[in-house]
Amino acid sequence: MLSENLQVVKTNIVKALEEAPRKDKNVTLVAVGKTYDADVMRQALAAGQRVFGENRVQEAAGKWPELTEEYSDIELHLIGPLQTNKVKQALELFDVFQTIDRLKLAKSLAKELEKAPKDIKCFIQVNTGNEPQKAGILPDEADDFIKTCREDLNLPIVGLMCIPPVDEEAGLHFAYLKKIADRNGLKELSMGMSGDYEAAVGFGATYVRVGSAIFGKRDYTA
């Protein structure tokens, strides 16, 4: 079932790309492993998936070290909020950081990279809906923050990430994020989840974060 779900998602991405008015046809599927155990990840690995996302450092630490020993070509993305006191541990686990959302975190990450250089990629999370309860730099502050991260802190910023408000048209937020990325010369866009990844592809997503459409409904009580 998992391998079939994975193939359906990949097929849908290809179809969305064929219909999208975009020159760049590269989209990376990030399989989101939040709440699923290592055995489930092994099923996805056996089906050929190599790029995964996790929301929490602690959960990833209990799941991925053994898997990365078995599969050397895994690329692991942190797609959830990162506390500054866990930056060092996160750098040991993750290859891509998608949720750089505040100056304190950016400085902490830059400091740790000075101590122990590592080839990583970073995305800045933009709170496109200006939601007070949600992480992410505010759109009006994005340009200055991007400049600070790249020029002052020398962070490897490759793109932007967003999570649209659940009660608004996602496409409006995808288009907004792309506009911010374009004017700052950023080529990568992480946007779109299980319910809207096809639409995100149409708006230029280069990474989509899909969990339940691949692994099934999460059991948060387990």
Side-chain angles (χ1 to χ4, degrees):
M1 177 67 78
L2 188 154
S3 60
E4 293 175 0
N5 291 345
L6 185 61
Q7 189 55 52
V8 167
V9 172
K10 289 181 177 179
T11 299
N12 289 342
I13 291 172
V14 170
K15 289 180 179 178
L17 276 171
E18 291 174 349
E19 298 172 359
R22 52 183 284 186
K23 296 179 180 179
D24 177 15
K25 299 295 183 180
N26 294 317
V27 175
T28 299
L29 171 60
V30 181
V32 180
K34 180 177 67 173
T35 77
Y36 304 107
D37 62 24
D39 288 339
V40 177
M41 297 303 101
R42 282 193 178 88
Q43 293 179 44
L45 286 160
Q49 181 65 21
R50 291 295 183 273
V51 183
F52 295 85
E54 290 288 346
N55 283 63
R56 298 176 61 193
V57 174
Q58 185 175 355
E59 181 179 351
K63 183 189 306 183
W64 285 101
E66 183 177 343
L67 292 172
T68 53
E69 286 187 7
E70 297 175 28
Y71 296 86
S72 61
D73 55 346
I74 290 172
E75 181 177 281
L76 194 58
H77 293 231
L78 179 62
I79 61 171
L82 176 59
Q83 297 174 340
T84 54
N85 63 353
K86 293 187 177 180
V87 166
K88 184 176 180 180
Q89 184 183 13
L91 278 169
E92 296 173 355
L93 292 164
F94 295 95
D95 306 293
V96 181
F97 291 75
Q98 291 205 16
T99 52
I100 308 303
D101 64 349
R102 60 197 187 280
L103 186 57
K104 184 179 179 181
L105 173 59
K107 286 182 175 179
S108 180
L109 185 58
K111 185 176 181 180
E112 288 298 333
L113 284 172
E114 286 181 0
K115 296 178 184 177
K118 179 182 178 180
D119 186 17
I120 64 169
K121 295 178 181 178
C122 295
F123 289 70
I124 289 173
Q125 181 175 356
V126 181
N127 186 348
T128 56
N130 288 278
E131 298 176 275
Q133 80 283 8
K134 188 174 288 183
I137 198 78
L138 296 178
D140 290 346
E141 301 171 1
D143 291 356
D144 287 342
F145 186 65
I146 291 167
K147 183 178 180 181
T148 296
C149 287
R150 297 165 96 180
E151 299 181 8
D152 298 343
L153 300 178
N154 200 31
L155 284 176
I157 304 296
V158 300
L160 305 179
M161 177 268 222
C162 78
I163 305 173
V166 296
D167 58 348
E168 295 184 18
E169 174 57 46
L172 297 175
H173 294 270
F174 297 153
Y176 193 12
L177 192 72
K178 189 176 190 309
K179 183 177 180 180
I180 298 172
D182 286 347
R183 70 174 180 243
N184 284 281
L186 294 171
K187 296 182 178 180
E188 306 295 347
L189 290 168
S190 176
M191 52 191 196
M193 298 184 286
S194 287
D196 54 20
Y197 67 90
E198 292 162 282
V201 169
F203 282 95
T206 57
Y207 289 82
V208 293
R209 312 179 304 274
V210 181
S212 58
I214 297 171
F215 300 113
K217 186 176 180 180
R218 293 185 175 89
D219 181 5
Y220 289 99
T221 64

